[in-house]
Amino acid sequence: YDPDFNQVYLGVGNGAPWTRELRSPGGGDNLFLASIVAVDADTGKMNWYYQTTPGDNWDYTAVQDMTLADMDIDGEKRKVLMQAPKNGFFYVLDRADGKLLRAHKFATVTWATHVDLETGRPVEDPNTAYADQPQWVLPGPSGAHNWHAMAYDSGRRLMYFGSHDIPFLYAMPEEYQKTGLYKQKPKQFNLGIAFGELPALIREMGGLPEQTGFLNAFDPVTGENKWVVPQPFPWNGGVLATAGSLVLQGNQTGTLAAFDSDTGDLLWEHELFSTIVAPPITYEDAGRQHIAILTGAGGGVPGSADATYGSTGRLVVFAIGGKTELPAPVKRDQAFPEAPPLTASAEEVQRGEELFMQVCGVCHPPGVFAGFGGIPDLRQMSAETHSQWNAIVMGGSMRVGGMDAFADVLSPEDSELIHQFVISETIAARTAQSDMPAAN
C-alpha cells in the first residue's frame, strides 16, 4: 500500500503453459501477466500498469517484493517503486504514473539484450527462442531473484539482495512441435515443456551448467554493484540492512552472517544447522537489541543444511550479551540402502526416466533427490517400501500422507518402468557413495 498515492500495487504471476506458442499462438502481450499493477485503494480501479515480460515465455513472474522510496533520478526527485523480479532486470518505476525510469541487469540474462527505456519493453534475443530446438536460457524458472526479501538503505542508495544464476533447458515436447496443439494431461506438469525428455537432452548438450549464488550491494540508478559476495549455493535467504552498517543474510548451508554495508566484508556468522529462506528482523526490547530469524526450507537441496540435518524449522533469536548455546542436531543418515535387483534394459530405464519426469517430477525433482516440503529422497527407500511400490503408486496407500494414486495415469507396465528407473538411480548413488573417500 502506498499512502502517498492511495494505491495498492499488485505483482502478477505467469501464465500456463509457459510456452507462449501454445498458450497464445496468435501473439500478444498476455496482459496482465508478469506485471506490476497499481489500483486505487478505495475503488479498485486500475491507475497504471507496467509489464516486465510481455508475452512471458519462461515463467518470469513479477510477484517478488517491492520497495517504495524517494529518490533523485536525473536531477529530479521521484517517488519510486523498485522490484527485482525473476527475469533478471532491476526495475525503477515512477509511482505517480508507472513510467519506467531504470531497468538494469542484476544477474546473467540471455533471454533479452536490454530493456528499451523509451518503450519500456525488453529486447528479446531471437537466438534463445526454443519453439524449434532446445535452448539453455538464463534466468531459468527459478528466476534471477525470487521470494527472498530485499533490503534498501536509503542513505547509501543501495539495495541489498541475493541473486542466483540457475540456467534451465527450455524445450517443447516433440508432440507439440509436430502438431502445434496443446493437450491438458492430468497429474502432470502442464506447462508445455518437455520435462520427460529433459534428462536425455541435458546429457546430449553436455550436462548441467554451473549454478551460482550471490549477495549484492546494488545501485538501482546506475545498475552497478558496490560489492558482491559469491556464495556456495544459489537460493539463499532474505536480507536485513541496519542503521548500524550491517547487512544480515542466512544461506543454504545454515549460516546466519553479518556483512559490512560498505565493503561486504564478513563481520560475524553463526551456524543455525538449518537452511534459511526467510529474512532476519531486528527489534529492541527493554533497551536490548535482538535479531530474529525463521529457519528451515522444508526440503533437501543436496549439500544444504536441511539435507544434512533434516528440516529443523524454528525461530532463533539473538540478543546482545546472549549466552544460550544452540545445540547441534544429529546428522541424518544419508546412506543409500541396497536396492532390489535391476531387471530392466537400458532402453527401459530411459523410458522409466521419461515417465518419472512427466508424472513424478511434479513433486520429486530430477535425479530423485528429496524435494522441498520434506518430500523424501526416493533413493533411500527401504526394502519394505520397495515391496509396496504398486500399492503406493497405483493404489494410493500413502494418500493420507500426500502421495496420490496414479492408476488413472499410469499403466502397471509404466509404474514398473518408473520403479526400475528409481532402482537404477539408487544403485548409481550407492556406488558413488561407496567410492567416496572416508572422512577423517
Side-chain angles (χ1 to χ4, degrees), residues 1 88 114 122 140 164 200 224 251 272 290 314 325 339-340 356 380 399 412-413 415 440:
Y1 173 67
H114 65 286
H164 40 243
E224 297 177 351
N251 62 24
L272 302 185
H290 297 72
R314 55 190 169 192
E325 292 292 328
F356 176 91
Q380 293 179 321
R399 183 184 275 116
E413 292 77 17
S415 174
N440 293 329

Side-chain angles (χ1 to χ4, degrees), residues 299-339:
V301 175
S304 69
D306 279 6
T308 303
Y309 299 105
S311 184
T312 53
R314 55 190 169 192
L315 174 64
V316 181
V317 181
F318 295 86
I320 299 295
K323 295 181 173 60
T324 302
E325 292 292 328
L326 188 67
V330 177
K331 290 186 177 181
R332 294 173 60 242
D333 180 4
Q334 299 186 66
F336 297 103
E338 186 172 351

Side-chain angles (χ1 to χ4, degrees), residues 94-257:
D94 191 314
R95 283 144 52 196
D97 54 11
K99 176 180 172 58
L100 178 65
L101 303 175
R102 293 289 190 274
H104 294 294
K105 291 182 181 180
F106 64 86
T108 305
V109 175
T110 63
W111 70 276
T113 59
H114 65 286
V115 175
D116 187 322
L117 289 183
E118 292 299 318
T119 64
R121 299 178 69 89
V123 179
E124 294 185 20
D125 185 344
N127 294 320
T128 61
Y130 63 90
D132 300 322
Q133 59 182 349
Q135 296 282 359
W136 283 110
V137 178
L138 278 160
S142 296
H145 167 248
N146 211 301
W147 310 316
H148 318 89
M150 306 186 298
Y152 182 60
D153 186 321
S154 59
R156 292 177 172 84
R157 294 165 56 95
L158 294 174
M159 186 71 80
Y160 301 99
F161 65 103
S163 65
H164 40 243
D165 289 348
I166 307 177
F168 184 77
L169 185 59
Y170 290 87
M172 282 180 61
E174 288 187 11
E175 61 178 296
Y176 295 158
Q177 290 185 32
K178 293 176 181 177
T179 66
L181 299 176
Y182 173 70
K183 181 181 179 182
Q184 188 87 358
K185 298 179 180 180
K187 298 182 181 178
Q188 297 187 34
F189 273 130
N190 286 287
L191 299 174
I193 297 293
F195 285 103
E197 303 160 35
L198 278 184
L201 289 172
I202 290 171
R203 288 192 290 269
E204 289 174 11
M205 299 184 73
L208 283 170
E210 184 183 10
Q211 300 182 4
T212 53
F214 309 93
L215 174 62
N216 310 287
F218 184 83
D219 187 324
V221 178
T222 67
E224 297 177 351
N225 278 304
K226 185 170 183 180
W227 52 259
V228 176
V229 175
Q231 296 174 311
F233 289 97
W235 203 263
N236 298 291
V239 177
L240 166 70
T242 75
S245 299
L246 297 177
V247 174
L248 291 101
Q249 184 195 34
N251 62 24
Q252 282 275 3
T253 66
T255 300
L256 177 64

Side-chain angles (χ1 to χ4, degrees), residues 12 23 41 48 62 67 92 94 138 253 271 281 299 303 372 404 407 422:
V12 186
R23 185 183 70 243
W48 56 260
T67 299
V92 182
D94 191 314
L138 278 160
T253 66
E271 177 62 61
I281 66 164
F372 285 107
D404 203 354
V422 173

